[in-house]
Each structure stands twice: as structure tokens, then as C-alpha cells.
Amino acid sequence: MMNRIIFFSLVALLLITTACSDNFLQTEPNDRLSDGSFWNTEEDAELAANALYDHLKTAIFRWDSISDIGKPNTPSSSASQNVQGLQSSTSGYGRGIWGNSYEAIRAVNDYLVKIDRVESDNTALLDRYRAEARFIRAYQYSYLLMFYGDVPFITEPISISEAKELTRTDKAEIWDFVSSELQEISEVLPESYSDNDQGRITRGAALAWKARAMLWAGRYEEAAAAAQAVMDSGVYELYPSYQDLFSYEAEHNSGVILNKEYIKNEDSNSLFDILAPFSQKSSGSTFVPTKSLVDAYEMANGMKIDDPGSGYDPASPYENRDPRLRYSMFVYGDVLPDGQIYDPRPGLGGPDDIMRSFTTTSTGFNIKKYVNDQDLEDPSNGGINIILQRYAEILLTYAEAKIELGEIDQSVYDAINEVRQRPDVEMPAIQSPKSQEELRQIVRHERKVELAFEGLRYFDIRRWEIAPEVMNGPIRGITSVQNTYADRSDWEVIDFSSDNEPRGNVASNIIDDDVSTIWHTAWVNSNPPHPHYITIDMGDRQEIIGFRIRGRQGYNDGNPQDIYIEVSSNGNTWEHREDFTLNNVGSNTVYTSSARQAQYFRMTVESSFGGTTHTHVAEIEVITAQATETWVYPEYERSFGEKDYFLPIPDEELTLNPNLEQNPGY
């Protein structure tokens, strides 16, 4: 495994040196690094630069959770207030972003003054450290402008009294600064680093961030040019596997431009604990996807799910879809890190049952990105890096900027299709010619599904000014199948291969409406091998569309694995054999390829889990009809108004500095 930088936290040092008076008692503290003993060597400059990396923002999941594609799972959280349009100038969410951003800017401004004290002949190295710091400042201002609009603009250390006189600077001036700053430092930063320095800010990161910032600012020529520069550098390319992109194995791959670095046991994160389904070590499901995102993924044939002839089946909503759907989130039927099957369907009482508790998913989906098997045993001690920017975004930024400029050529189609046709995605290519509006909607769609839960959707729907359209209204979740089961009061077991009568595990238990009793094949006096079968007379003809088979509760070994079911109208002539492989869970539901009319059915078990010679089943039922029902979150609806395009400036800032003006509506 490659060595990685651990970014030592010296934020306290930076704050101390900016806040203390130079002549306070004329003493040097003996319990910490002092301003007088630091800032002497290249190592001091490096350590202080490393501390600035702590200010890279990683709230990407929270940001997407307050957009249309996600939801904060806890209704009382500050993020949930934001979703409901209830945020105010005293809300913790906006206060935290403001305070953290200006803390970072203050640290950078202080760094750029203090580094001049370092005596070194290696001016190129110190210039590189300065460039890294300047990147983080431009990075912070990009977010401040998107969250608040016009903000105070500070590029050097200031006193408290000066801070109280600040006013809001026109955002155009700050965007000018961000653009020129990132361009300048791109000419200082290296294209790459050795293994020990991987994760540091590169030339590509500066240009890529300029591309993002200028796209946010609506400066499409600059965005396209910066994205083109990244593309032309030859340093980056798409990682071939989207499925593995957020795994440990793919860290520092050729598609990653900027990471927030972590390492287990030393500088770890809690991503598994925050994102994984509850059943995985009682994980928190803190932020969850919505049906809006799930429905956005096209069918594998490239058609939208509501297009006639797309092949979409509401009863099997995740089949034959854009592979990025199941690569990005857990949906019903997925295998979880612990090997169990994800089942969030309501009312079944499973550990991931939708809204079973405040820590289970409230939509029926969970985020899969960054949830790795390696973190299962210690969910709060993750070492997976958080990707802050990757090459796919650059391709889509280039395409969007060119579309908005009206400069539509083959390079636009190529950029979009490169993203869509990664080897393990292979969605149909977008073919020319398309109108500007058609391409605009295509690239917006690609950003939504390709970059889901990477912290961009929140800003996209605001800069596109579509937030009220996509945000307002109920929060929808899983579409579940509601089955109708045949009345079993007249059912009778008329034949079976064997049962375990001495223990009371008789064949008739399979239809007695009691999951605590079972049909168990012979065991006490004999142990016949597979296959085992059981035949049931339903009393009259039924339309059969599927079966529910419940295994022995609390036992895994012995539950049916490979089975086939035949049906009959007279109990003598058997037809329509259908084969099924079951999961080793308490209940399995299987569906016939088409509806069958029959009075009798026979289930034959060809193998059982655990390699046992016997099998056991608690109950078997026939499904005669089904309907689909979409879950609607019952606690509240989302609300987005004009004022919500920007967050309110925190109340304490307005109190300390009357020169600041609040955003309208707060």
C-alpha cells in the first residue's frame, strides 16, 4: 500500500499566532510551539501547510442530502431544517459553514505572511507551499460565494476592529480573484508528486477547481478553457471501473484529481458508520438517497423509465438499469458487506426495514459509495480517501460550458460519451445532431447520476435555477410490491417425499399459518438425500404469479437453496416447471415467468444451504396478484422558496458588524 501524507493538525498553532499580542508578558510558552520558535525551517513551512489541508471541506453527503437527490435521515437535524425551508440566521448549518470558511481563510492569510520568515535557498519549494495555501483560500471563497452570494473579501491578516468594519464585496470581484489566483498557482504547482506526497494539491487540481468555480460563476469560456487544459495535460483519464471507484483498491487512481486523505488508526473517518445500512454494525444511515435520484437512472437501453417501450417494470424497478444505479446505492436485493441481503421493505420487521427506527433508512435506499467491506468490523475507523474532484466532472464541465456557449461540436459528444461508456457502465452513446436544449438536459442528467453524492447537486440545482421545481413537495422513497396471497383455509398436503413425524415436523406444518412450526424431511430414523418434494391441493383453481417460501426461523443450514415448482390442473399431469435459486434468508419471494392457472402445485428441493441432506420449510404461500406502492416520507415535505437560493448570514456576524447586510427574506 502506498505511503500517504498524514496532515498533522496545527490549526491551533495558526490561531494562537494570529490572536495573541506580540508583546504579551514577553514570554515563550513551554507547552506548545510558539511564534518565536516556529517559522524558521522548510519543515516548519511544510507542517503548517499540512495543517491547512484540514480545511478541505468534506460535507459532500450533507450538501447532496439537502438537494432533490437526498435526504437527511434525522428529522430534527439542522440539515432537515434546511430541507423544510426553516433555516434562519441562528441555524447551526449556515453558521458552521460561514465560521469554518473564514477560519480557513484567516489561517491561509496568516500562513502567507509567516512563511516569509522561513530562511531557505529553495525558493521553488516555498513558492509551492504558498500556492497550496492560496488554493485552499480560493477553494473557500468559491463555496462562500455559492452559499451566501456577496461576502466579505479578506486576503491578508486583519485585526478584530478591522473585521468589524468589513462590508460585503460584490461576488464578481471575488470570482475575478478566484480565477486569476488559480491560474497563477497552476503555473507553480507540479503535475504530480512522489508516493510519499500523494494527496497534495497539483497543477491539475488548481485548473480543475478553476473549471468548477468558473462553471459555478457562469463564466463558460473560462470554465471550458480550464477544463480543456486538464484534458490536454495527459495526466488524467477515467478509471475503468465505476463500481470500484470508491474503494481502497482504487485510491489515487488516474481519474482522481483532488482527495481528502485519511488513514486508519491515525487520521480516520466514519464514512461506513455514517452511510451504511443500519444492519451493518448498527450504522447510522445519516444521509439517504431519494426516489428522485433512483428514477433518474435510465434503462440500460438508454431510454428513460417513463418512456413508452423502455421495458421498465415497476415490480422490478432496479433491473436492466444504468449500472451506475446499483454501483452508487443499495437497493432491495443487493448483497451487503456482511453477506446478507438488503431488504428495506416496510412492515417486514427486518433490521433495515424502512423507518423501523430513526437510524434505519427513511426512504428505502442507502448510499453505497465509500461503503467498503474492509471497514465493516470497525465502522468509525475508516481510511478511505474522500474524492473532492475527479476527471469525469472535468469532462462534463467541459461539455456543459461548450453547450452554454453554443460551441457544439464533436468534442462535446465525445466528452459526454466518454463518461457514459466507461467499460463497466456502457450506456448507449449520445448521437448527433442534438439541439442546444437537448444537450443541456443530457449533460445535466449525466451530472445528476454520475456525480451523485459527491457534493455537487446542491449547487447545480441552484445555479440552474431549478430548485423550486425539483425540491418542493413530498419526499418519495422505495417502490415496493404489495402482494395478494391466496386463502389457504381449504389447502391440503396430498403428497410428500418424507417428513420428521417423530419430532412433530410434519408436512402439514407448511400450511398452518405458524412460522414456528416446520416441515422437516426425515431425520430421526432415516436421512434420505435430495431431491425432496411436497405437493399441495389448493381446493380450487387459482391464478398463480409467484410463491413466498419461509425458511425455518433462526436456522440457516437446511433451508432450500435450489428448487423447482410445477403446477397442475388435475394433480396427475404436471407442467410449467420453473427453476429458482433462493437466498439464505428467512423469507424468499419468487415469481413465475407468466401467470399460471392451476389447482395443484409441487415444490421439489434439489439442494439445501449448508450442504445438508435434509431440508426444512416453515410456510409456503401462493401470490395471486400484486400492486406497486411508492413510499412517501410521512414526517414533512420539502419546501424551497426564492430566499433559499442563499443561506442567511449568521446572526452573530450581523450583531458584531452592523455594516453587513442580511440576504433578503431572513
Side-chain angles (χ1 to χ4, degrees), residues 38-112:
F38 201 70
W39 301 109
N40 296 314
T41 66
E42 293 173 6
E43 183 183 11
D44 293 343
E46 180 184 16
L47 289 174
N50 290 348
L52 296 175
Y53 279 78
D54 285 338
H55 294 291
L56 290 175
K57 297 181 183 295
T58 57
I60 56 177
F61 312 102
R62 179 185 295 270
W63 296 335
D64 275 359
S65 80
I66 58 175
S67 74
D68 58 321
I69 68 170
K71 179 191 171 298
N73 214 38
T74 305
S76 60
S77 68
S78 59
S80 289
Q81 287 185 323
N82 185 289
V83 166
Q84 298 172 74
L86 300 177
Q87 70 271 17
S88 70
S89 59
T90 62
S91 296
Y93 183 67
R95 290 166 54 213
I97 294 170
W98 180 281
N100 292 336
S101 294
Y102 277 110
E103 178 182 303
I105 290 167
R106 179 176 65 170
V108 171
N109 290 340
D110 186 66
Y111 180 90
L112 294 174

Coordinates of all heavy atoms in Angstrom, one line a residue, residues 38-112:
F38 N 8.9 28.9 16.0 CA 8.5 28.3 14.7 C 8.8 29.2 13.5 O 9.4 30.3 13.7 CB 7.0 28.1 14.8 CG 6.4 27.0 13.8 CD1 6.7 25.7 14.0 CD2 5.6 27.4 12.8 CE1 6.3 24.7 13.2 CE2 5.1 26.4 11.9 CZ 5.5 25.1 12.1
W39 N 8.5 28.8 12.3 CA 8.7 29.6 11.1 C 10.1 29.9 10.8 O 10.5 31.0 10.4 CB 7.9 30.9 11.2 CG 6.4 30.7 11.3 CD1 5.7 31.0 12.4 CD2 5.5 30.2 10.3 NE1 4.4 30.6 12.2 CE2 4.2 30.2 10.9 CE3 5.7 29.7 9.0 CZ2 3.1 29.7 10.2 CZ3 4.6 29.3 8.3 CH2 3.3 29.2 8.9
N40 N 11.0 28.8 11.1 CA 12.4 29.0 10.8 C 12.9 28.1 9.7 O 13.8 28.5 9.0 CB 13.2 28.7 12.1 CG 12.9 29.7 13.2 OD1 12.9 30.9 13.0 ND2 12.7 29.1 14.4
T41 N 12.3 26.9 9.5 CA 12.8 26.0 8.6 C 11.8 25.6 7.5 O 10.6 25.8 7.6 CB 13.2 24.7 9.3 OG1 12.1 24.0 9.9 CG2 14.2 25.0 10.5
E42 N 12.3 24.9 6.5 CA 11.4 24.4 5.5 C 10.4 23.4 6.1 O 9.3 23.3 5.6 CB 12.2 23.7 4.4 CG 13.1 24.6 3.6 CD 14.0 23.8 2.6 OE1 13.9 22.6 2.5 OE2 14.9 24.5 2.0
E43 N 10.9 22.6 7.0 CA 9.9 21.7 7.7 C 8.8 22.4 8.4 O 7.7 21.9 8.4 CB 10.7 20.8 8.7 CG 9.8 19.7 9.3 CD 10.5 18.9 10.4 OE1 11.7 19.3 10.8 OE2 10.0 17.9 10.8
D44 N 9.1 23.6 9.0 CA 8.0 24.3 9.6 C 7.0 24.8 8.6 O 5.8 24.7 8.8 CB 8.6 25.6 10.3 CG 9.5 25.3 11.5 OD1 9.4 24.1 12.0 OD2 10.3 26.1 11.9
A45 N 7.5 25.2 7.5 CA 6.6 25.6 6.4 C 5.7 24.5 5.9 O 4.5 24.7 5.6 CB 7.4 26.3 5.2
E46 N 6.3 23.3 5.8 CA 5.6 22.1 5.3 C 4.5 21.7 6.4 O 3.4 21.4 6.0 CB 6.5 21.0 5.1 CG 5.8 19.7 4.6 CD 6.7 18.5 4.4 OE1 7.8 18.6 4.9 OE2 6.3 17.6 3.8
L47 N 4.9 21.7 7.6 CA 4.0 21.3 8.7 C 2.8 22.2 8.7 O 1.6 21.8 8.9 CB 4.6 21.2 10.0 CG 5.6 20.0 10.2 CD1 6.3 20.1 11.5 CD2 4.9 18.7 10.1
A48 N 3.0 23.5 8.6 CA 2.0 24.5 8.7 C 1.1 24.4 7.4 O -0.1 24.5 7.5 CB 2.5 25.9 8.8
A49 N 1.7 24.1 6.3 CA 0.9 23.9 5.0 C 0.0 22.6 5.2 O -1.1 22.6 4.8 CB 1.8 23.7 3.8
N50 N 0.6 21.6 5.8 CA -0.2 20.4 6.0 C -1.4 20.6 6.8 O -2.5 20.1 6.6 CB 0.7 19.3 6.7 CG 1.8 18.7 5.8 OD1 1.8 19.0 4.6 ND2 2.7 18.0 6.4
A51 N -1.3 21.5 7.8 CA -2.4 21.8 8.7 C -3.5 22.5 7.9 O -4.7 22.3 8.2 CB -2.0 22.8 9.8
L52 N -3.2 23.2 6.9 CA -4.2 23.9 6.1 C -5.1 22.9 5.4 O -6.3 23.2 5.0 CB -3.6 24.8 5.1 CG -2.8 26.0 5.7 CD1 -2.1 26.8 4.6 CD2 -3.8 26.9 6.5
Y53 N -4.6 21.7 5.1 CA -5.4 20.7 4.4 C -6.6 20.2 5.2 O -7.5 19.6 4.7 CB -4.5 19.5 4.0 CG -3.7 19.7 2.7 CD1 -2.5 20.5 2.8 CD2 -4.1 19.1 1.5 CE1 -1.8 20.6 1.6 CE2 -3.3 19.3 0.4 CZ -2.2 20.1 0.4 OH -1.5 20.2 -0.7
D54 N -6.5 20.4 6.5 CA -7.7 20.1 7.4 C -8.9 20.9 7.0 O -10.0 20.5 7.3 CB -7.3 20.4 8.9 CG -6.4 19.3 9.5 OD1 -6.4 18.2 8.9 OD2 -5.8 19.6 10.5
H55 N -8.7 22.0 6.3 CA -9.8 22.9 5.9 C -10.4 22.5 4.6 O -11.4 23.2 4.1 CB -9.3 24.3 5.8 CG -8.9 24.9 7.1 ND1 -9.8 25.2 8.1 CD2 -7.7 25.2 7.6 CE1 -9.1 25.7 9.2 NE2 -7.8 25.7 8.9
L56 N -10.0 21.4 3.9 CA -10.7 20.9 2.7 C -12.1 20.4 3.2 O -12.2 19.6 4.1 CB -9.9 19.8 2.1 CG -8.6 20.2 1.4 CD1 -7.9 19.0 0.9 CD2 -8.9 21.2 0.2
K57 N -13.1 20.9 2.6 CA -14.5 20.5 3.0 C -14.9 19.1 2.6 O -14.6 18.7 1.5 CB -15.4 21.6 2.5 CG -15.2 23.0 3.0 CD -16.2 23.9 2.4 CE -16.0 25.4 2.8 NZ -16.1 25.6 4.3
T58 N -15.5 18.4 3.5 CA -15.9 17.0 3.2 C -17.4 16.8 3.5 O -17.8 15.6 3.7 CB -15.0 16.0 4.1 OG1 -15.1 16.3 5.5 CG2 -13.6 16.1 3.7
A59 N -18.1 17.8 3.6 CA -19.6 17.7 3.9 C -20.4 17.4 2.6 O -21.5 17.8 2.5 CB -20.1 19.0 4.5
I60 N -19.8 16.7 1.7 CA -20.4 16.5 0.4 C -21.7 15.7 0.5 O -22.6 15.9 -0.3 CB -19.4 15.7 -0.6 CG1 -18.9 14.4 0.0 CG2 -18.2 16.6 -0.9 CD1 -18.0 13.6 -0.9
F61 N -21.8 14.8 1.4 CA -23.0 14.0 1.6 C -24.1 14.8 2.2 O -25.3 14.7 1.8 CB -22.8 12.8 2.4 CG -21.5 12.0 2.0 CD1 -20.4 12.1 2.7 CD2 -21.5 11.2 0.9 CE1 -19.2 11.4 2.4 CE2 -20.4 10.5 0.5 CZ -19.2 10.6 1.3
R62 N -23.8 15.7 3.1 CA -24.8 16.6 3.7 C -25.3 17.5 2.6 O -26.5 17.8 2.6 CB -24.1 17.4 4.8 CG -25.1 18.4 5.5 CD -24.4 19.2 6.5 NE -23.9 18.4 7.6 CZ -24.6 18.2 8.7 NH1 -25.9 18.7 8.8 NH2 -24.2 17.5 9.7
W63 N -24.4 18.1 1.8 CA -24.9 19.0 0.8 C -25.9 18.3 -0.2 O -26.9 18.9 -0.5 CB -23.7 19.6 0.0 CG -22.8 20.4 0.8 CD1 -23.1 21.1 2.0 CD2 -21.4 20.6 0.6 NE1 -22.0 21.7 2.5 CE2 -21.0 21.4 1.7 CE3 -20.5 20.3 -0.4 CZ2 -19.6 21.9 1.8 CZ3 -19.2 20.7 -0.3 CH2 -18.8 21.5 0.8
D64 N -25.6 17.1 -0.6 CA -26.5 16.5 -1.6 C -27.8 16.0 -0.8 O -28.8 15.9 -1.5 CB -25.8 15.2 -2.2 CG -25.0 15.6 -3.4 OD1 -25.0 16.8 -3.8 OD2 -24.4 14.8 -4.0
S65 N -27.7 15.8 0.5 CA -28.9 15.4 1.2 C -29.9 16.5 1.3 O -31.1 16.3 1.6 CB -28.5 14.9 2.6 OG -28.3 16.0 3.5
I66 N -29.5 17.8 1.1 CA -30.4 18.9 1.1 C -30.8 19.3 -0.3 O -31.2 20.5 -0.5 CB -30.0 20.1 2.0 CG1 -28.6 20.6 1.5 CG2 -29.9 19.6 3.4 CD1 -28.2 21.8 2.3
S67 N -30.5 18.5 -1.3 CA -31.0 18.7 -2.6 C -32.1 17.7 -2.9 O -32.6 17.0 -2.0 CB -29.8 18.5 -3.6 OG -29.5 17.1 -3.7
D68 N -32.5 17.6 -4.2 CA -33.6 16.7 -4.5 C -33.2 15.2 -4.5 O -34.0 14.4 -4.5 CB -34.1 17.1 -5.9 CG -33.1 17.0 -7.0 OD1 -31.9 17.4 -6.7 OD2 -33.4 16.6 -8.1
I69 N -31.9 14.9 -4.6 CA -31.5 13.5 -4.7 C -31.2 12.9 -3.4 O -30.9 11.7 -3.3 CB -30.2 13.4 -5.6 CG1 -29.0 14.0 -4.9 CG2 -30.4 14.0 -7.0 CD1 -27.6 13.7 -5.6
G70 N -31.3 13.6 -2.3 CA -31.0 13.0 -1.0 C -31.9 13.5 0.1 O -32.7 14.4 -0.1
K71 N -31.7 13.0 1.3 CA -32.5 13.4 2.4 C -31.7 13.2 3.7 O -31.1 12.1 3.9 CB -33.8 12.5 2.5 CG -34.6 12.8 3.7 CD -35.7 11.8 3.9 CE -36.4 12.1 5.2 NZ -35.5 12.0 6.4
P72 N -31.7 14.1 4.6 CA -31.1 13.9 5.9 C -32.0 12.9 6.7 O -33.2 13.1 6.7 CB -31.1 15.3 6.6 CG -31.5 16.3 5.5 CD -32.2 15.5 4.5
N73 N -31.4 11.9 7.3 CA -32.3 10.8 7.8 C -32.9 11.2 9.2 O -33.9 10.7 9.5 CB -31.4 9.6 8.0 CG -32.2 8.3 7.8 OD1 -33.1 8.3 6.9 ND2 -32.0 7.3 8.6
T74 N -32.3 12.2 9.9 CA -32.8 12.6 11.2 C -33.7 13.8 11.0 O -33.2 14.9 10.6 CB -31.7 12.8 12.2 OG1 -30.8 11.7 12.2 CG2 -32.2 13.2 13.6
P75 N -35.0 13.8 11.4 CA -35.8 14.9 11.1 C -35.5 16.1 12.0 O -35.9 17.2 11.6 CB -37.2 14.4 11.5 CG -37.0 13.2 12.3 CD -35.7 12.6 11.9
S76 N -34.8 16.0 13.1 CA -34.5 17.1 13.9 C -33.2 17.8 13.6 O -32.8 18.8 14.2 CB -34.5 16.7 15.4 OG -33.5 15.7 15.6
S77 N -32.4 17.3 12.6 CA -31.1 17.9 12.3 C -31.2 19.2 11.6 O -32.3 19.6 11.1 CB -30.4 16.9 11.4 OG -31.0 16.8 10.1
S78 N -30.1 20.0 11.7 CA -30.1 21.3 11.0 C -30.3 21.1 9.5 O -30.9 22.0 8.9 CB -28.8 22.0 11.4 OG -27.7 21.3 10.9
A79 N -29.8 20.1 9.0 CA -30.0 19.8 7.5 C -31.4 19.6 7.2 O -31.9 20.1 6.1 CB -29.1 18.6 7.1
S80 N -32.2 18.9 8.1 CA -33.6 18.8 7.8 C -34.3 20.1 7.9 O -35.3 20.3 7.2 CB -34.2 17.8 8.9 OG -33.8 16.5 8.6
Q81 N -33.9 21.0 8.8 CA -34.5 22.3 8.8 C -34.3 23.0 7.5 O -35.2 23.7 6.9 CB -33.8 23.2 9.9 CG -34.3 22.8 11.3 CD -33.7 23.7 12.3 OE1 -32.5 24.2 12.2 NE2 -34.4 24.0 13.4
N82 N -33.1 22.8 6.9 CA -32.8 23.4 5.6 C -33.8 22.9 4.5 O -34.3 23.7 3.7 CB -31.4 23.2 5.2 CG -30.9 23.9 4.0 OD1 -31.3 23.5 2.9 ND2 -30.1 24.9 4.1
V83 N -34.0 21.6 4.5 CA -34.8 21.0 3.5 C -36.2 21.5 3.6 O -36.9 21.6 2.6 CB -34.8 19.4 3.7 CG1 -35.9 18.8 2.9 CG2 -33.5 18.8 3.3
Q84 N -36.7 21.8 4.8 CA -38.0 22.3 5.0 C -38.2 23.8 4.8 O -39.2 24.4 5.0 CB -38.5 21.9 6.4 CG -38.6 20.4 6.7 CD -38.9 20.1 8.1 OE1 -40.0 20.3 8.6 NE2 -37.9 19.7 8.8
G85 N -37.1 24.5 4.5 CA -37.1 25.9 4.4 C -37.2 26.6 5.7 O -37.6 27.8 5.7
L86 N -36.7 26.0 6.8 CA -36.9 26.6 8.1 C -35.6 27.1 8.6 O -35.5 27.6 9.8 CB -37.4 25.5 9.1 CG -38.7 24.8 8.8 CD1 -39.0 23.7 9.8 CD2 -39.8 25.9 8.8
Q87 N -34.5 27.1 7.8 CA -33.3 27.7 8.3 C -33.4 29.2 8.6 O -34.2 29.9 7.9 CB -32.1 27.4 7.3 CG -32.2 28.2 6.0 CD -33.0 27.4 5.0 OE1 -33.7 26.5 5.3 NE2 -32.8 27.8 3.7
S88 N -32.7 29.7 9.5 CA -32.7 31.1 9.9 C -31.3 31.6 10.2 O -30.3 30.8 10.1 CB -33.6 31.3 11.1 OG -32.9 30.8 12.3
S89 N -31.1 32.8 10.5 CA -29.8 33.4 10.8 C -29.2 32.8 12.0 O -28.0 33.1 12.3 CB -29.9 34.9 10.8 OG -30.8 35.3 11.9
T90 N -30.0 32.1 12.8 CA -29.4 31.4 14.0 C -29.2 29.9 13.8 O -28.8 29.2 14.8 CB -30.3 31.7 15.2 OG1 -31.6 31.1 15.0 CG2 -30.5 33.2 15.5
S91 N -29.5 29.4 12.7 CA -29.4 27.9 12.4 C -27.9 27.5 12.4 O -27.1 28.2 11.9 CB -30.1 27.5 11.1 OG -31.5 27.8 11.2
G92 N -27.7 26.4 13.0 CA -26.3 25.9 13.1 C -25.7 25.6 11.7 O -24.4 25.7 11.6
Y93 N -26.5 25.2 10.7 CA -25.9 24.8 9.5 C -25.2 26.0 8.8 O -24.0 25.9 8.4 CB -27.0 24.3 8.6 CG -26.6 23.8 7.2 CD1 -25.8 22.6 7.1 CD2 -26.9 24.4 6.1 CE1 -25.3 22.2 5.9 CE2 -26.5 24.0 4.8 CZ -25.7 22.8 4.8 OH -25.2 22.4 3.5
G94 N -25.9 27.1 8.6 CA -25.3 28.2 7.9 C -24.2 28.8 8.8 O -23.2 29.3 8.2
R95 N -24.3 28.8 10.1 CA -23.3 29.4 11.0 C -22.0 28.6 10.8 O -20.9 29.2 10.8 CB -23.8 29.4 12.4 CG -24.9 30.4 12.7 CD -25.6 30.1 14.0 NE -24.6 30.0 15.1 CZ -24.7 29.3 16.2 NH1 -25.7 28.4 16.3 NH2 -23.8 29.3 17.1
G96 N -22.1 27.3 10.8 CA -20.9 26.4 10.7 C -20.2 26.6 9.4 O -18.9 26.7 9.4
I97 N -20.9 26.7 8.3 CA -20.2 26.9 7.0 C -19.4 28.3 7.0 O -18.3 28.4 6.6 CB -21.2 26.9 5.9 CG1 -21.7 25.4 5.7 CG2 -20.5 27.3 4.5 CD1 -22.9 25.3 4.8
W98 N -20.1 29.3 7.4 CA -19.5 30.7 7.5 C -18.3 30.7 8.4 O -17.2 31.1 8.0 CB -20.6 31.7 8.0 CG -20.1 33.1 8.1 CD1 -19.3 33.6 9.1 CD2 -20.4 34.1 7.2 NE1 -19.1 35.0 8.9 CE2 -19.7 35.3 7.7 CE3 -21.1 34.2 6.0 CZ2 -19.8 36.5 7.0 CZ3 -21.2 35.5 5.4 CH2 -20.5 36.6 5.9
G99 N -18.4 30.2 9.6 CA -17.3 30.2 10.6 C -16.1 29.4 10.1 O -15.0 29.8 10.2
N100 N -16.4 28.2 9.6 CA -15.3 27.3 9.2 C -14.6 27.9 8.0 O -13.3 27.7 7.9 CB -15.9 25.9 8.8 CG -16.4 25.2 10.1 OD1 -15.9 25.4 11.2 ND2 -17.3 24.2 9.9
S101 N -15.3 28.5 7.1 CA -14.7 29.0 5.9 C -13.8 30.2 6.2 O -12.6 30.3 5.7 CB -15.7 29.5 4.9 OG -16.5 28.4 4.4
Y102 N -14.3 31.1 7.1 CA -13.4 32.3 7.4 C -12.3 31.9 8.4 O -11.2 32.5 8.4 CB -14.3 33.4 8.0 CG -14.9 34.2 6.9 CD1 -16.3 34.1 6.6 CD2 -14.1 35.0 6.1 CE1 -16.8 34.9 5.6 CE2 -14.6 35.7 5.0 CZ -16.0 35.6 4.7 OH -16.5 36.4 3.7
E103 N -12.5 30.8 9.1 CA -11.3 30.3 9.9 C -10.2 29.8 9.0 O -9.0 30.1 9.2 CB -11.8 29.2 10.8 CG -10.7 28.5 11.6 CD -11.2 27.4 12.5 OE1 -12.1 27.6 13.3 OE2 -10.7 26.3 12.3
A104 N -10.6 29.1 7.9 CA -9.6 28.7 7.0 C -9.0 29.8 6.2 O -7.7 29.8 6.0 CB -10.3 27.7 5.9
I105 N -9.7 30.8 5.8 CA -9.2 32.0 5.1 C -8.2 32.7 6.1 O -7.1 33.2 5.6 CB -10.3 32.9 4.6 CG1 -11.0 32.2 3.5 CG2 -9.8 34.3 4.2 CD1 -12.4 32.9 3.1
R106 N -8.6 32.9 7.3 CA -7.7 33.5 8.3 C -6.4 32.8 8.4 O -5.3 33.3 8.4 CB -8.3 33.7 9.6 CG -7.4 34.3 10.7 CD -8.1 34.6 12.0 NE -8.5 33.3 12.6 CZ -9.0 33.3 13.9 NH1 -9.1 34.4 14.6 NH2 -9.3 32.1 14.4
A107 N -6.5 31.4 8.5 CA -5.3 30.6 8.6 C -4.4 30.8 7.4 O -3.1 30.8 7.5 CB -5.7 29.1 8.8
V108 N -5.0 30.8 6.2 CA -4.2 31.0 5.0 C -3.5 32.3 4.9 O -2.3 32.4 4.6 CB -5.1 30.8 3.7 CG1 -4.3 31.2 2.5 CG2 -5.5 29.3 3.6
N109 N -4.3 33.4 5.2 CA -3.7 34.7 5.2 C -2.5 34.8 6.2 O -1.5 35.5 5.9 CB -4.8 35.8 5.6 CG -5.8 35.9 4.4 OD1 -5.5 35.5 3.3 ND2 -7.0 36.5 4.8
D110 N -2.7 34.2 7.3 CA -1.6 34.2 8.3 C -0.4 33.4 7.8 O 0.8 33.9 8.0 CB -2.1 33.6 9.6 CG -1.1 33.8 10.8 OD1 -0.8 34.9 11.2 OD2 -0.6 32.7 11.2
Y111 N -0.7 32.3 7.2 CA 0.4 31.5 6.7 C 1.2 32.2 5.6 O 2.5 32.2 5.6 CB -0.2 30.2 6.0 CG 0.8 29.3 5.4 CD1 1.4 28.3 6.2 CD2 1.3 29.4 4.1 CE1 2.4 27.4 5.7 CE2 2.2 28.6 3.6 CZ 2.7 27.6 4.4 OH 3.7 26.7 3.8
L112 N 0.5 32.9 4.7 CA 1.2 33.6 3.7 C 2.1 34.8 4.2 O 3.1 35.2 3.5 CB 0.2 34.2 2.6 CG -0.5 33.1 1.9 CD1 -1.6 33.7 1.0 CD2 0.4 32.2 1.0

